């Protein structure tokens, strides 16, 4: 079953997406997400110039062989651009295989390990009162797990706080905005937010929070410790994780569960975190960590160390990635939770899909393959628009982690 066509589709229905569509000689096709927020065209070019010529004529059934060919064959390994490109190929090939066999993808991954996929949504507000209202709104929508973020007194903006509505979108057109940051103000404030949320919503609601890589290990340790009374489901990305051993210090100080991994590209980025049990949830996702094939390997390592999965699922991961994630989540034994940020309506129109949400859980559906399509003529009506994630500086002007 030879690959006869490989098309890289760049579109911007609400935000930018890069999608790979592979077609085989018998007309079957599959989709893979290749979106890298703020650096989309680097992946599109990598695919078009360096990967597509290698795919034409190759046997679409040889998923693992093609993965290794693209990974080892490039000589230059890993990195977000390379791995997003490999992920897109891998996901599209799994989609083709499942469609050809007439089964939803999770059936090829060992079948369902559970009946549904627990997801968490994003609630945010400019201050505590607004955040309480936003969490209440998500509770009304049926969510059982909610990530809560709030504006911090004395800071004009912070990560995770939307400009209203359900569609938080941090990427901005043209030159990136620069935010100002104070870890001191943030650390003083966040425990107040969760004290209020627990009082308001009781013990059963799962509450999560994303520190978005901004703290030093000892600051993260302090935050984790002060949040212990509020029993978070997790504290995400408390500190940048390039240096995996820095999480030892956080771990020594707090029992708040830790989740890390949305910027990781391979098992080597989280090997120490997993093997030393420095985290509770690994957040690698299909599009940025080598596709379904590689994500399963990460999950298998994590399973041995009682680390559960909690894949990234922000709006910059397209419906093709979301669907792939749901098939993965349904099948792996050590699934923990899945992030679900709803896409804008125009995104959903460009990518019709069979996955559904009900009462805080999601279902990939039983369409053959991923259960996601792309309306190419509609996609063409939303051309690419350059956009960047914000840049962060401390109050004294020093560049900081965003
Ligand atoms: O592209 C970056 C976003 O996906 C990221 O900032 C979102 O941290 C994020 C999350 O947990 O969803
Ligand atoms: Mg995050």
């Amino acid at each position: 079953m030879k690959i006869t066509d490989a098309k890289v589709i760049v579109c911007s229905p609400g935000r930018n997406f890069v999608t790979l569509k592979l077609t085989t000689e018998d007309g079957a096709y599959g989709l893979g997400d290749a979106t890298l927020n703020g650096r989309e065209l680097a992946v599109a070019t990598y695919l078009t110039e360096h990967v597509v010529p290698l795919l034409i004529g190759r046997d679409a059934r040889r998923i693992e062989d093609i993965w290794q060919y693209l990974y080892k064959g490039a000589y230059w390994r890993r990195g977000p651009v390379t791995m997003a490109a490999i992920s897109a190929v891998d996901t599209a090939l799994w989609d083709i295989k499942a469609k050809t066999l007439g089964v939803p993808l999770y059936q090829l991954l060992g079948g369902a390990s559970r009946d549904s996929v627990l997801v968490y949504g994003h609630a945010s507000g400019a201050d505590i009162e607004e955040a309480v209202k936003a969490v209440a709104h998500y509770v009304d929508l049926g969510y059982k797990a909610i990530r809560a973020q709030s504006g911090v007194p004395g800071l004009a903006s912070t990560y995770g706080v939307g400009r209203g509505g359900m569609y938080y979108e941090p990427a901005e057109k043209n030159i990136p905005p620069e935010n100002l940051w104070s870890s001191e103000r943030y650390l003083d404030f966040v425990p107040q937010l969760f004290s209020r949320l627990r009082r308001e919503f009781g013990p059963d609601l799962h509450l999560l929070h994303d520190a978005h890589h901004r703290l030093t290990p000892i600051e993260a340790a302090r935050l984790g410790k002060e949040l212990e009374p509020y029993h978070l489901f997790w504290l995400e990305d408390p500190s940048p994780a390039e240096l995996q051993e820095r999480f030892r210090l956080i771990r020594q100080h707090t029992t708040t569960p830790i989740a890390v991994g949305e910027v990781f590209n391979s098992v080597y980025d989280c090997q120490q975190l997993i093997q030393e049990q420095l985290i509770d949830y690994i957040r690698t996702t299909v599009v940025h960590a080598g596709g379904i094939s590689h994500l399963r390997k990460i999950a298998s390592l994590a399973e041995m160390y009682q680390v559960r999965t909690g894949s990234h699922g922000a709006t910059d991961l397209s419906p093709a990635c979301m669907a792939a994630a749901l098939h993965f989540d349904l099948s792996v034994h050590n699934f923990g939770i899945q992030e679900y940020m709803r896409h804008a309506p125009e995104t959903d129109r460009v990518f019709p899909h069979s996955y559904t949400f009900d009462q805080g859980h999601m279902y990939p559906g039983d369409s053959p393959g991923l259960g996601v399509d792309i309306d190419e003529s509609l996609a063409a009506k939303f051309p690419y628009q350059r956009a960047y994630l914000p840049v962060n500086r401390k109050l004294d002007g020093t560049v900081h982690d965003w």
Side-chain angles (χ1 to χ4, degrees), residues 120 122 147 159 210-213 236-237 262 283 312 339:
Y120 70 91
H122 284 205
R147 190 189 88 163
Y159 166 75
D210 190 348
H212 220 256
H213 323 266
E236 176 180 335
D237 288 333
E262 67 182 45
R283 302 199 66 248
H312 189 203
E339 181 179 16

Side-chain angles (χ1 to χ4, degrees), residues 78-390:
R78 302 162 59 184
V81 175
T82 301
M83 295 306 277
I86 294 177
S87 300
V89 175
D90 183 80
T91 308
L93 292 176
W94 278 107
D95 191 17
I96 289 172
K97 192 180 280 282
K99 276 180 178 167
T100 308
L101 295 171
V103 292
L105 176 59
Y106 68 84
Q107 293 293 6
L108 296 188
L109 306 178
S113 285
R114 55 195 54 78
D115 301 328
S116 62
V117 173
L118 176 69
V119 297
Y120 70 91
H122 284 205
S124 70
D127 54 27
I128 291 185
E129 291 315 309
E130 292 296 314
V132 168
K133 278 190 211 147
V135 171
H137 178 53
Y138 274 81
V139 170
D140 289 345
L141 290 170
Y143 283 85
K144 309 291 180 242
I146 300 169
R147 190 189 88 163
Q149 310 285 138
S150 165
V152 177
L155 296 180
S157 60
T158 187
Y159 166 75
V161 180
R163 289 178 286 263
M166 300 278 291
Y167 305 106
Y168 170 61
E169 181 50 75
E172 299 214 21
K173 307 275 166 351
N174 301 316
I175 298 303
E178 297 195 0
N179 299 341
L180 282 181
W181 175 250
S182 160
S183 295
E184 293 77 9
R185 290 178 192 174
Y186 170 80
L187 285 168
D188 283 343
F189 173 72
V190 175
Q192 298 171 43
L193 169 68
F194 282 92
S195 158
R196 177 68 198 281
L197 291 173
R198 263 298 164 237
R199 268 206 318 280
E200 200 77 34
F201 295 98
D204 292 340
L205 184 65
H206 295 309
L207 291 171
L208 301 83
H209 182 70
D210 190 348
H212 220 256
H213 323 266
R214 293 176 176 203
L215 305 174
T216 64
I218 202 68
E219 288 169 346
R222 168 182 155 191
L223 181 61
K225 208 167 175 175
E226 291 184 7
L227 290 175
E228 280 171 21
Y230 316 117
H231 295 151
L232 264 59
F233 187 96
W234 78 35
L235 172 62
E236 176 180 335
D237 288 333
S239 203
E242 288 97 329
L243 186 65
Q244 297 179 46
E245 67 199 42
R246 67 163 59 193
F247 280 75
R248 286 183 189 146
L249 193 131
I250 304 172
R251 211 50 165 174
Q252 281 159 16
H253 287 281
T254 180
T255 56
T256 294
I258 304 292
V260 174
E262 67 182 45
V263 300
F264 293 167
N265 311 125
S266 90
V267 71
Y268 301 107
D269 295 326
C270 48
Q271 186 184 358
Q272 187 179 7
L273 288 172
I274 290 172
Q275 289 181 323
E276 288 189 31
Q277 296 175 297
L278 301 178
I279 56 173
D280 301 278
Y281 295 91
I282 179 68
R283 302 199 66 248
T284 42
T285 191
V286 173
V287 55
H288 298 135
I292 289 161
S293 299
H294 196 68
L295 206 58
R296 290 178 82 205
K297 292 179 187 178
I298 295 174
S300 297
L301 178 70
E303 185 181 351
M304 290 170 62
Y305 295 93
Q306 292 185 304
V307 173
R308 292 191 283 162
T309 67
S311 288
H312 189 203
T315 43
D316 49 296
L317 284 57
S318 90
C321 178
M322 189 68 212
L326 291 171
H327 289 279
F328 166 84
D329 297 337
L330 199 65
S331 64
V332 288
H333 174 69
N334 54 325
F335 166 76
I337 199 167
Q338 169 69 48
E339 181 179 16
Y340 173 50
M341 256 177 104
R342 287 163 192 258
H343 286 111
E346 56 269 44
T347 302
D348 286 337
R349 283 201 300 277
V350 167
F351 296 95
H353 50 259
S354 65
Y355 59 75
T356 49
F357 171 90
D358 184 42
Q359 293 303 310
H361 292 77
M362 288 184 77
Y363 304 81
D366 276 322
S367 309
L370 288 176
V372 174
D373 211 337
I374 184 164
D375 180 336
E376 290 183 61
S377 48
L378 186 58
K381 295 193 175 130
F382 297 98
Y384 168 77
Q385 292 187 284
R386 178 175 295 123
Y388 290 96
L389 289 169

Side-chain angles (χ1 to χ4, degrees), residues 42-54:
V43 190
T45 307
Y46 188 101
L47 279 167
T48 309
E49 297 295 329
H50 306 296
V51 174
V52 166
L54 303 175

